[in-house]
Amino acid sequence: MDDTQPDSDSEPNIKISKRVEEAEERINGAETRIQSSEDVLTELVKLQMQTEAKLTDLEGRSRRENVRIHGVKEGAEEGTASVIAFVEDLLTKSLELPPSSALNIERAHRAPAPKPPNEAPPRSIVVKFSSYTVKEDVLKRAWQKKGFDFQGKRIQLDHDYAPEVLRKWGEYAETKAALKGRNIRFQTPFPARLRVFYEEGTVVYGSVEEATMDMEKRGIPVTVVKKTTSLLDQISRMTWRSSEKQGNRGTTRANQGFKERLHAYRRQDT
């Protein structure tokens, strides 16, 4: 009698073991693909954030010679040769510029937005100067006079900031109102920060969340703004990281290989 013949009862166990091994291999492969996909998404989000920051900076630089004139009634420029001629005459007379001064305005137009109703605030006038020095001199004179009156309205001049910068500055509206209510001096330096001159010393806030949290601790009544969860934070929280097991060494090498290819692509693309 041959005792080497396999036990018929062990055949199902062998098949089950093989299926378990196949399942483990597939799970390891799925983990590798998932982690690689998460690394891809994280790198792309970081790249998007860097790109948006660069675009905002470039847009700001492209507006360095621009000025926004706020408060001029809609249609006030009608009847003149051009908007440029209207702005030159307005600034020369209102800011008491020397007659010999050349403003060298390249372009002047109303802000590109639909014409508002009669009772709504007028659109600003965007003015581009040929010289940054002339632009700064005009702004300085306007700020020293704290604006000027024209056709019964108070006219103000300011830099032409990028929309993203204006949006971030707008988030400080409540905090600035609270500081004004307590006669606490503050500034809003570029790009979208808040500098507050407390009696104990000067503090610079980088975000409205940081400002409101600190102001509440100081006893200033403000609504504390909680930090919004960024897309990168959401991805980091959902990211699946398996423990260091047998299959992870290959996963790590795969991720490193992907990152190297992504960085190589970015170098070629730039």
Side-chain angles (χ1 to χ4, degrees):
M1 183 174 181
D2 188 1
D3 295 334
T4 60
Q5 291 182 355
D7 187 356
S8 59
D9 294 337
S10 65
E11 290 182 359
N13 293 333
I14 294 174
K15 292 181 180 179
I16 291 174
S17 297
K18 288 183 178 180
R19 290 184 178 181
V20 170
E21 290 178 359
E22 291 177 358
E24 288 179 345
E25 290 178 358
R26 291 184 179 183
I27 290 172
N28 286 335
E31 287 181 349
T32 300
R33 290 191 296 272
I34 291 172
Q35 291 184 16
S36 296
S37 299
E38 290 171 347
D39 288 338
V40 171
L41 187 57
T42 300
E43 290 292 324
L44 291 177
V45 170
K46 290 179 180 178
L47 182 60
Q48 178 190 2
M49 294 170 63
Q50 294 172 2
T51 302
E52 289 178 350
K54 289 181 179 179
L55 287 175
T56 301
D57 179 67
L58 288 173
E59 186 174 5
R61 293 177 184 274
S62 69
R63 298 167 180 253
R64 290 180 73 249
E65 291 81 19
N66 291 7
V67 163
R68 289 247 180 183
I69 304 177
H70 301 277
V72 178
K73 291 181 179 180
E74 291 282 343
E77 66 275 19
E78 296 177 2
T80 58
S82 65
V83 180
I84 292 178
F86 169 79
V87 171
E88 287 181 340
D89 183 67
L90 174 68
L91 296 180
T92 301
K93 293 179 178 179
S94 302
L95 300 180
E96 301 175 356
L97 299 175
S100 58
S101 61
L103 294 178
N104 294 325
I105 297 175
E106 289 187 5
R107 296 191 302 273
H109 58 81
R110 288 280 181 178
K115 187 175 181 179
N118 294 332
E119 64 277 6
R123 294 170 296 172
S124 60
I125 297 178
V126 184
V127 183
K128 179 175 177 56
F129 294 85
S130 300
S131 170
Y132 176 79
T133 304
V134 174
K135 171 244 182 176
E136 286 294 304
D137 181 61
V138 169
L139 269 183
K140 182 179 178 181
R141 289 173 178 269
W143 289 345
Q144 287 176 343
K145 293 173 65 68
K146 297 182 179 180
F148 54 85
D149 294 324
F150 178 73
Q151 294 184 350
K153 297 292 182 179
R154 195 65 180 172
I155 310 301
Q156 301 288 346
L157 274 67
D158 200 356
H159 295 286
D160 181 25
Y161 295 108
E164 179 63 15
V165 176
L166 293 176
R167 183 190 67 79
K168 290 183 178 180
W169 269 335
E171 295 177 349
Y172 290 108
E174 183 184 351
T175 58
K176 291 190 292 185
L179 292 170
K180 286 181 179 178
R182 299 218 167 183
N183 294 320
I184 300 175
R185 193 164 67 91
F186 64 87
Q187 296 174 342
T188 51
F190 185 86
R193 299 189 180 189
L194 180 65
R195 181 185 293 120
V196 183
F197 301 92
Y198 296 111
E199 292 183 358
E200 311 87 61
T202 304
V203 179
V204 178
Y205 302 110
S207 66
V208 66
E209 296 88 359
E210 180 184 350
T212 53
M213 289 180 63
D214 184 62
M215 289 171 64
E216 184 192 41
K217 293 178 181 178
R218 295 173 180 270
I220 301 175
V222 292
T223 303
V224 177
V225 179
K226 295 183 179 180
K227 184 178 181 180
T228 57
T229 304
S230 66
L231 180 58
L232 189 60
D233 292 335
Q234 295 177 26
I235 295 172
S236 299
R237 291 179 181 178
M238 294 188 300
T239 297
W240 172 12
R241 296 299 179 196
S242 59
S243 60
E244 291 295 332
K245 295 183 180 179
Q246 182 178 357
N248 289 354
R249 289 192 294 273
T251 300
T252 303
R253 288 196 296 271
N255 291 342
Q256 290 176 344
F258 165 76
K259 291 182 179 180
E260 291 175 357
R261 292 195 297 272
L262 178 59
H263 288 305
Y265 168 78
R266 289 173 61 184
R267 287 195 295 270
Q268 294 173 4
D269 187 54
T270 54

